[in-house]
Amino acid sequence: MEGQAGRTVLLCNGALPRYAPPMHSHAPVVVPDSVIAELRTLVGAENVLSHGHELLVYECDAYTLEKHLPGVVVLPRTTEEVAAVVKLCARHELPIIPRGAGTSLSGTVLASTGGVMIALTRMNRILDLDVRNRRALVEAGVVNALVTQAAKPHGLFYAPDPSSQPACTIGGNVGTNSGGPHTLKNGVTTNHVLGCEVVLPDGEVVWLGTTPDGGEDVPGYDLRGAFIGSEGMFGIATRVLVRLVRAPQAFKTLLGIFESVDDASQTVSDIIGAGMVPGALEMMDQMITQAVEAAYHFGFPTDAGAVLIVELDGLAAGLEEQSTRVVEICRRNKSREVRVAKDDAERAEIWKCRKRAFGAIGRLSPNFLTQDGVVPRSKLPEIMRFIRATSERHGLRIPNVFHAGDGNIHPLILYDERDPAQVKRAVQAGEEILEKCVALGGSVTGEHGIGVEKADMMARQFTPDDLEAMKMLRRVFDPAQRCNPHKMFPGAKRCADFAPRKQIAA
Ligand SMILES: Cc1cc2nc3c(=O)[nH]c(=O)nc-3n(C[C@H](O)[C@H](O)[C@H](O)COP(=O)(O)OP(=O)(O)OC[C@H]3O[C@@H](n4cnc5c(N)ncnc54)[C@H](O)[C@@H]3O)c2cc1C
């Protein structure tokens, strides 16, 4: 049937098979009209989206290779509403897909089989800022950057700072155990979430970890730790208790300009090897530097092989000495120049450019695939050479901007989705790069999660026994496996298979 926008669409009208656990049928699920009506009663009609054009926004996340519409999107405002919606879905055996801002880069919020998407974006209040105990209680839909904004007047901040922080939510950060440029020194989400309130897949509400009125030590298994990074498969976080840390007294932000990525990579290893842990250690190669410069006009040298951003932070006393040592290390590795940000405004400008780097890619290509792998820092030169060779082998451009200090690479594979052969090569190039990461002793993800994108890659890193142990843990939280189905485990990809839109609810 031809849809309004001229695409071929399939109407969801009850003719499709009902969802039935165990999963992996990959057949689209119909959310009956009666359930949609009940959802409207539970959360208010204004918080339920079920028309085709409304659902389009939710057909994918920032991994745009695969698209699938949910049957309905619900936007609850309280934990009680989330629990009521989840119970209704449990009664009707419908899949549920927890969603924050949908900035995931690996298809972690793809509605692989349709179902009920529960988006937390209207649960966006900071409930308590406990300055004395340096923590904040927030609803899961609060945007990451707003926590730091609220804490800043008190000399505190929320440390995990994904580059998407003006948009992504704390609940989504919990789902993917997010990192960011400054997590090299400060640690990732799991190091800064003390506890969270969770609606389990059967609708029961529990607290995992520290409760808002509790101390930091909690006896028993660390279920909070198990939940963080579970990609929405263990339940829905509704409130999160986060740690706030004291803002550094001073910063020193340096730009090392290098002729080659190899020299910049060696500098990264040498800085850490010298016993220093900068707040951030980020790299941009030539292609991304050129795109960033064209977009934001900071003054980055567009003929350099690589630019290294080294940010030192802490007590003002001692920063100068560390900075001198960093400059020496850069020079030893043949840096062409080392610039120091002259004031806070210039520092902010550097970070604005770095954090918006993905946005500059629009100048280079209609589509890109952001890969996310990890290698031991000392292997950075080798993986960067491999990425260059992969780019040539597949005839695709691959710029790089990444958390070099963590060995966390982000090759951006440029392609044009109108050319199926290119799409295939882009996917293959991504897999080859991740395989190489594993071969070098690294991992198939640093911070973006597995989702549908890298589900098959899990088998390259983990044994069948490892995977079965993970599945067993999942079944403890969600015996029916209805919560964010078809993610993370091999075989998930089959349900979407780079198909364009498969269904649009009337
Ligand atoms: C330009 C750009 C830059 C990025 N930079 C970084 C970076 O530096 N570091 C980094 O780690 N990531 C980065 N990302 C990836 C992404 O922003 C993060 O993974 C982020 O944590 C996702 O948050 P979100 O609110 O968008 O969650 P979503 O994308 O909506 O969801 C992500 C996952 O969390 C689950 N989830 C969402 N809310 C909840 C909840 N309340 N309870 C349980 N599960 C939930 C979902 O089911 C899904 O599995 C970047 C993305 C973009 C587009």
Side-chain angles (χ1 to χ4, degrees), residues 62-123:
Y63 170 71
T64 55
L65 252 177
E66 299 177 41
K67 296 182 172 122
H68 208 297
L69 287 173
V72 61
V73 176
V74 188
L75 299 141
R77 292 182 182 271
T78 63
T79 301
E80 292 69 29
E81 285 185 0
V82 174
V85 168
V86 169
K87 277 184 186 153
L88 176 68
C89 294
R91 263 204 316 281
H92 291 270
E93 296 179 351
L94 289 166
I96 51 178
I97 305 104
R99 178 174 161 127
T103 64
S104 162
L105 285 160
S106 49
T108 60
V109 270
L110 190 71
S112 305
T113 53
V116 179
M117 185 169 276
I118 303 177
L120 278 286
T121 41
R122 291 187 182 168
M123 289 184 64

Side-chain angles (χ1 to χ4, degrees), residues 231-345:
E231 299 192 9
M233 296 163 85
F234 288 4
I236 303 179
T238 42
R239 292 191 290 164
V240 186
L241 185 65
V242 299
R243 190 196 307 280
L244 301 173
V245 292
R246 183 173 283 285
Q249 192 183 56
F251 296 94
K252 194 129 203 145
T253 309
L254 300 94
L255 287 185
I257 319 289
F258 294 86
E259 300 300 346
S260 76
V261 167
D262 272 15
D263 292 340
S265 302
Q266 192 55 49
T267 305
V268 171
S269 278
D270 290 354
I271 290 173
I272 303 283
M276 286 183 279
V277 183
L281 202 40
E282 298 278 306
M283 198 189 304
M284 303 197 291
D285 72 4
Q286 185 177 47
M287 203 187 304
I288 195 80
T289 305
Q290 288 172 347
V292 165
E293 187 53 27
Y296 311 124
H297 318 295
F298 172 78
F300 290 112
T302 51
D303 60 340
V307 172
L308 200 59
I309 305 173
V310 187
E311 180 151 283
L312 302 164
D313 63 18
L315 294 173
L319 275 196
E320 198 54 52
E321 189 223 317
Q322 273 191 62
S323 160
T324 308
R325 287 168 68 200
V326 168
V327 173
E328 272 166 20
I329 293 171
C330 289
R331 293 220 172 104
R332 221 184 302 140
N333 286 301
K334 303 184 282 221
S335 66
R336 183 202 288 180
E337 184 191 350
V338 183
R339 297 183 195 166
V340 182
K342 60 178 183 302
D343 52 27
D344 279 353

Side-chain angles (χ1 to χ4, degrees), residues 61-62 97-105 107-109 118 120 140-141 161-165 167-181 189 227 230-233 235-238 240 354-356 358-359 368 403 408 410 446-449 451 484 487:
D61 47 34
I97 305 104
R99 178 174 161 127
T103 64
S104 162
L105 285 160
T108 60
V109 270
I118 303 177
L120 278 286
D161 66 332
S163 301
S164 54
Q165 70 182 145
C168 67
T169 66
I170 295 295
N173 297 169
V174 167
T176 51
N177 190 16
S178 271
T189 299
F227 188 84
S230 59
E231 299 192 9
M233 296 163 85
I236 303 179
T238 42
V240 186
R354 162 59 188 94
K355 291 194 173 185
R356 288 181 176 180
F358 292 2
F368 67 99
H403 311 312
N408 183 192
H410 289 327
E447 54 179 17
H448 296 169
N484 209 9
K487 310 285 156 31

Side-chain angles (χ1 to χ4, degrees), residues 86 196 206 276 339 367 385 411 420 430 448 482:
V86 169
C196 47
V206 296
M276 286 183 279
R339 297 183 195 166
N367 305 92
R385 278 195 293 273
H448 296 169
R482 281 184 306 102

